[in-house]
Amino acid sequence: MMTAEEYKARTARSYKLLLIFAMISMTMMFAGLTSALVVSKSRPDWLKDFQMPTAFFFSTAIILLCSITIHLSKRAIKNDNRKATTSFLLATLVLGLGFVFFQFQGFNQLFESHLYPVGGAGSITISFLYVLVYVHLAHLSGGILSLLIIIYNHFKQKYNSTQFLGIELGAMYWHFLDFLWIYLFLFLYFFK
């Protein structure tokens, strides 16, 4: 017969394993997309002098801050510091929304430079950029939704120093999204 503590540990391992499998599948999808981008570089309509929108630099800094704040929220709840946990969770949410804002600002900068993903003035380079960013934003929307659930559960006082699995899973996913964006950003910045 399993004790309640053993059941709790087993359930936590199961949830973490499911999340890891999901992150592996997302990694494979982005690896496929970036591989397709590498193959498409030989096309005659590839933009060789493309400059990354400056808003993407800001969004990269913001997403790095998200990793810090979600980590600090996990550390705070482990110390039963509910006030700090609340502050760091809300900061992560605001920063996550700031990341989305600057991603769309980057798209505005592309439009202002007359760089479009489709149409007569469209470019395969810009099309790949849009696909990669929008797919990442779709995954980020899942992260924001999970963060809203975590914040709701935190306000319902479901987390403490012995029960913080939701925050821990949320932090794992946010760190993954951060790593994924940094990979995409560096790939797009250096691969021309």
Side-chain angles (χ1 to χ4, degrees):
M1 185 81 179
M2 211 181 329
T3 67
E5 198 60 37
E6 290 172 332
Y7 179 76
K8 183 178 162 184
R10 187 180 214 175
T11 302
R13 278 193 308 272
S14 297
Y15 284 141
K16 288 177 186 175
L17 190 58
L18 285 170
L19 181 58
I20 289 169
F21 282 140
M23 291 186 302
I24 289 170
S25 69
M26 289 178 228
T27 301
M28 291 171 58
M29 179 184 61
F30 279 100
L33 287 170
T34 53
S35 295
L37 191 142
V38 169
V39 170
S40 296
K41 184 181 176 187
S42 62
R43 290 175 51 122
D45 60 344
W46 189 262
L47 295 178
K48 305 230 184 304
D49 59 347
F50 169 71
Q51 296 296 315
M52 187 74 74
T54 56
F56 286 177
F57 289 90
F58 291 117
S59 65
T60 302
I62 288 171
I63 206 160
L64 286 171
L65 291 174
C66 278
S67 253
I68 294 169
T69 56
I70 194 77
H71 174 75
L72 292 173
S73 71
K74 188 173 100 172
R75 186 191 297 176
I77 198 64
K78 284 182 176 181
N79 294 324
D80 275 325
N81 188 343
R82 296 193 52 75
K83 186 176 179 182
T85 304
T86 301
S87 297
F88 289 129
L89 287 174
L90 292 174
T92 304
L93 178 63
V94 168
L95 288 168
L97 294 173
F99 174 82
V100 172
F101 172 78
F102 278 104
Q103 292 289 283
F104 283 105
Q105 287 299 108
F107 291 143
N108 285 340
Q109 290 174 352
L110 290 172
F111 279 137
E112 289 169 1
S113 299
H114 305 289
L115 295 171
Y116 306 105
V118 295
S123 162
I124 190 69
T125 311
I126 304 304
S127 296
F128 269 110
L129 177 67
Y130 271 79
V131 168
L132 290 170
V133 172
Y134 273 122
V135 173
H136 183 263
L137 284 173
H139 289 94
L140 187 78
S141 66
I144 289 174
L145 180 63
S146 68
L147 187 59
L148 288 170
I149 293 168
I150 290 167
I151 291 169
Y152 173 79
N153 286 337
H154 175 66
F155 282 123
K156 290 293 212 174
Q157 299 188 7
K158 292 187 177 184
Y159 302 124
N160 56 48
S161 60
T162 60
Q163 170 50 36
F164 53 87
L165 180 63
I167 294 176
E168 187 172 21
L169 293 171
M172 284 175 63
Y173 189 66
W174 271 98
H175 291 315
F176 169 74
L177 289 173
D178 297 349
F179 169 77
L180 186 60
W181 173 252
I182 290 167
Y183 160 73
L184 292 172
F185 177 80
L186 292 174
F187 182 85
L188 292 166
Y189 183 78
F190 288 111
F191 188 80
K192 297 186 182 202

